[in-house]
Amino acid sequence: NLALKQCGRLSDWQLSLRLLDSQRGTELAKSPRPHIFAMHACQIAGRWEWAIAVLHAMAGSAVSPNVIAYNCAISACAKNAQWQP
């Protein structure tokens, strides 16, 4: 989680997605936190479409998106003026 959090600070969205992918099948993958950290990195980097992809992946897995995850996705879209579906 710390590495993913640092990716957000550095806006290293690609590394954050790789780290998130590497956690599949672990206990960490069952928590929304790593997903949110990856979404935040995407948001900071202006990669709103990847933030939405992570949100969709959460919804399709055993991890239920929470309010923070939805807010992060909304913020990524707002930051990049993506209001239309």
Side-chain angles (χ1 to χ4, degrees):
N1 277 349
L2 186 58
L4 275 165
K5 192 172 185 177
Q6 190 62 25
C7 287
R9 289 187 180 133
L10 300 173
S11 70
D12 193 341
W13 65 278
Q14 292 171 319
L15 179 58
S16 72
L17 294 177
R18 286 194 302 271
L19 288 171
L20 182 62
D21 189 52
S22 74
Q23 292 181 358
R24 269 196 234 172
T26 67
E27 284 299 310
L28 285 174
K30 296 177 184 176
S31 167
R33 287 187 73 142
H35 298 82
I36 292 166
F37 290 146
M39 290 171 64
H40 181 69
C42 294
Q43 172 195 353
I44 298 298
R47 304 304 300 214
W48 65 270
E49 66 275 35
W50 285 103
I52 297 298
V54 172
L55 182 68
H56 281 271
M58 286 177 77
S61 71
V63 182
S64 295
N66 59 17
V67 171
I68 298 168
Y70 285 114
N71 281 341
C72 191
I74 290 167
S75 293
C77 293
K79 179 180 178 187
N80 295 284
Q82 297 299 319
W83 297 101
Q84 300 293 323

